[in-house]
Amino acid sequence: MTRILHEAWTLFCFYGQLQRRRPVVFLAPLLFALSIQVLLFFASGDLRGLRPVEYFVAQTWLSIFLSLQLSFIDAFKADREDQAFELLRLSLTSTEAWFVAKTAQTIILALAVGGATVFLATLMTPSEVEVKASLFWILPLGCIGLSSVGVLLASLTDHSDHRTFIFPLLYLPLTTPVLLACCQSSLAVLSGTQTIENLLGSWLGMLIIFDSIYFVVAAVLFAELLKPEASS
Amino acid sequence: MKYWKWVFASTLGILVINIGWWCYALVTAPVDAQQGMVYKIIYAHVPCAFIALGVMGVALLVTSGAGLLRPTQNTLAWQRASVEVGLLFTVLTLITGSIWGRPTWGTWWTWDARLTTTLLLAILQFAYLLMHASLEKSTRSVRICSILGFVICIDIPIIYKSVSWWRSLHQPAAIIAERGRNMDPEMLRLLVVATLLLSLLGIGLWILRAWNLQLANKVDEHLLEQIAQRG
């Protein structure tokens, strides 16, 4: 376990270096989420005033989802271009460490996108919605679920020429339970109908279960993808 | 594959028996106290859902496991056939459900949990077929498709449990309910036979399609060999 964590940390630092060389990988989804958020605020206009909390939740999670979906399609692009994929495949690095490092990196990206989106939404609805601190418990849990599935699907579709179309087709159905749980939890917290403790027995509990299932399944199946190629 | 004529004839025979059974059920099944005659679509809707979620779900799980243990094009053919037949019955489930929903709920479609998740399953199956078509033939492609097959199988229990997890318009489980059965024995008898017959039809279609895909692989290999010899 310690060895896996140590390897994962080394790989995480390596990915950090890769990202520093290509800041656009990190900045593009962030700016995309913010522009989507502005677009949705503009499009909803006066309608937003009728159900401010519902609009806030829908717009925020939709912006996060769309932005992450686009960024995950090419999550392994840098690895391929820098030959990191082949080097890691040949090295003795465990696949679990590889998965943990990649997922941790995407979670950080998701958190940055999520945090910025919530911040912008709060600025745009100063009097209508009171953002509560407990929302920041839901955001990381949502990011873990979205990132685990994203990393698995990115590695699955990496060999396909049509990943731009196939990835969204797969990503939406698989992340629906996570998105539902995130939206319902956020709605309950922001409208003040339930507390975080109460939500642990319902939507938030379900979100934690989905996160655990997706993380474990994705980690196990990720190892299968890295087995060496043989002629069939 | 040498028994294909027998399997083809049996599948055709089962299809004819199926149609006969549906006609018999339409005429003899008792009328429901609340829904009247409309409920009789259950004899097509429930068996279709059983094959889409149950029979083809198990077939996909087994073939995905086989694909990971022994990644060959033959195991992939069985896997793809299970997704194709599964997709066919998922679409039939959605269509028959929609026809049933119009008179009972007053709408062809609603964003109810079970309807939505069944639609999502159809999208996943469709995406699997697209993915399969976009990959080159190799052991890695077999492994990728097998993993995707497993992921689709994970979605099936979520669909089944969605009615109790989320608020739903959909009827709660009547055949296998926690507090015992609440369905008329005559209705149940007709439904069980209809489900068994349609399951046999689904399995027949699955075998025939898998053999068809294996044959297509052999033709491809043969053509490639011929091209290589001439080149």
Side-chain angles (χ1 to χ4, degrees):
Chain A
M1 188 66 188
T2 321
R3 194 177 71 91
I4 290 173
L5 286 174
H6 182 71
E7 283 178 358
W9 175 248
T10 313
L11 280 168
F12 181 75
C13 296
F14 170 69
Y15 280 130
Q17 283 175 354
L18 276 180
Q19 236 172 32
R20 269 200 295 279
R21 259 188 275 162
R22 288 194 184 90
V24 70
V25 175
F26 199 81
L27 289 174
L30 202 71
L31 292 173
F32 180 80
L34 296 180
S35 59
I36 285 283
Q37 181 79 317
V38 172
L39 188 76
L40 289 172
F41 267 102
F42 175 72
S44 57
D46 292 338
L47 288 169
R48 215 177 57 244
L50 301 171
R51 288 180 159 191
V53 178
E54 279 88 342
Y55 269 95
F56 181 93
V57 170
Q59 286 179 192
T60 305
W61 282 107
L62 190 63
S63 305
I64 295 171
F65 171 79
L66 287 174
S67 170
L68 292 182
Q69 178 178 285
L70 271 181
S71 69
F72 290 157
I73 291 174
D74 274 329
F76 286 99
K77 194 179 175 186
D79 302 52
R80 251 180 305 144
E81 285 176 357
D82 289 12
Q83 300 292 313
F85 229 81
E86 294 310 314
L87 281 172
L88 284 165
R89 193 172 276 143
L90 292 171
S91 71
L92 294 171
T93 315
S94 67
T95 50
E96 290 86 359
W98 195 354
F99 175 77
V100 170
K102 196 75 195 174
T103 310
Q105 192 213 15
T106 53
I107 288 172
I108 288 175
L109 171 71
L111 278 172
V113 168
T117 314
V118 171
F119 180 69
L120 184 69
T122 316
L123 282 181
M124 288 189 161
T125 53
S127 56
E128 294 164 71
V129 182
E130 189 198 340
V131 177
K132 291 168 185 164
S134 42
L135 189 67
F136 292 94
W137 284 101
I138 301 163
L139 197 64
L141 288 170
C143 290
I144 291 170
L146 293 174
S147 301
S148 314
V149 182
V151 169
L152 177 69
L153 289 183
S155 54
L156 271 176
T157 53
D158 195 53
H159 297 278
S160 168
D161 296 333
H162 305 287
R163 61 178 172 278
T164 323
F165 302 105
I166 297 173
F167 187 92
L169 266 179
L170 290 166
Y171 194 59
L172 170 70
L174 291 173
T175 52
T176 299
V178 176
L179 279 174
L180 259 175
C182 286
C183 288
Q184 293 292 337
S185 306
S186 309
L187 205 62
V189 164
L190 291 176
S191 56
T193 50
Q194 285 191 65
T195 60
I196 281 286
E197 289 78 25
N198 293 339
L199 278 170
L200 278 171
S202 58
W203 289 107
L204 208 55
M206 205 172 94
L207 182 57
I208 293 167
I209 292 169
F210 280 131
D211 280 358
S212 316
I213 292 172
Y214 282 146
F215 188 83
V216 172
V217 168
V220 171
L221 293 179
F222 189 77
E224 284 295 325
L225 280 171
L226 304 176
K227 285 185 179 171
E229 176 77 6
S231 58
S232 64
Chain B
M1 223 182 285
K2 59 185 174 182
Y3 300 112
W4 80 268
K5 278 182 187 170
W6 291 103
V7 178
F8 181 75
S10 310
T11 310
L12 209 62
I14 293 164
L15 177 68
V16 174
I17 298 169
N18 245 303
I19 295 167
W21 189 260
W22 280 328
C23 295
Y24 174 73
L26 274 177
V27 176
T28 61
V31 177
D32 186 70
Q34 288 177 331
Q35 295 184 36
M37 286 286 281
V38 179
Y39 95 94
K40 290 189 182 183
I41 202 166
I42 195 176
Y43 300 114
H45 177 69
V46 174
C48 283
F50 180 75
I51 298 166
L53 301 171
V55 181
M56 287 306 127
V58 172
L60 182 59
L61 190 68
V62 172
T63 50
S64 298
L68 287 176
L69 292 172
R70 201 163 169 271
T72 63
Q73 291 302 320
N74 274 350
T75 47
L76 189 61
W78 284 97
Q79 201 181 101
R80 186 184 154 169
S82 68
V83 178
E84 283 183 0
V85 177
L87 178 61
L88 171 75
F89 283 99
T90 308
V91 171
L92 285 173
T93 307
L94 287 169
I95 292 170
T96 52
S98 191
I99 295 169
W100 194 5
R102 179 76 182 113
T104 50
W105 300 338
T107 177
W108 293 104
W109 181 265
T110 176
W111 292 104
D112 162 75
R114 190 175 280 186
L115 268 71
T116 310
T117 39
T118 309
L119 178 68
L120 292 178
L121 176 67
I123 295 172
L124 277 175
Q125 288 166 329
F126 185 65
Y128 173 97
L129 294 177
L130 279 180
M131 177 80 130
H132 181 279
S134 73
L135 294 169
E136 283 178 18
K137 282 181 182 172
S138 63
T139 46
R140 184 164 294 149
S141 70
V142 180
R143 224 175 266 138
I144 288 171
C145 288
S146 303
I147 291 171
L148 195 54
F150 263 126
V151 173
I152 294 172
C153 289
I154 293 166
D155 201 42
I156 292 173
I158 295 174
I159 291 167
Y160 185 74
K161 291 303 285 180
S162 63
V163 173
S164 49
W165 284 347
W166 296 312
R167 269 185 312 173
S168 176
L169 272 174
H170 199 280
Q171 285 86 343
I175 305 157
I176 310 165
E178 281 173 20
R179 292 173 193 167
R181 280 200 313 263
N182 55 8
M183 196 179 194
D184 180 86
E186 177 59 14
M187 288 178 184
L188 187 65
R189 186 182 67 85
L190 290 165
L191 182 62
V192 169
V193 177
T195 308
L196 281 174
L197 283 171
L198 208 66
S199 298
L200 286 174
L201 180 71
I203 291 167
L205 287 174
W206 177 46
I207 294 169
L208 286 172
R209 183 61 184 143
W211 283 350
N212 180 247
L213 288 168
Q214 285 178 345
L215 200 64
N217 282 338
K218 277 187 183 169
V219 170
D220 281 351
E221 280 170 22
H222 183 68
L223 282 173
L224 282 172
E225 270 173 28
Q226 277 194 334
I227 291 165
Q229 277 171 4
R230 282 178 195 171

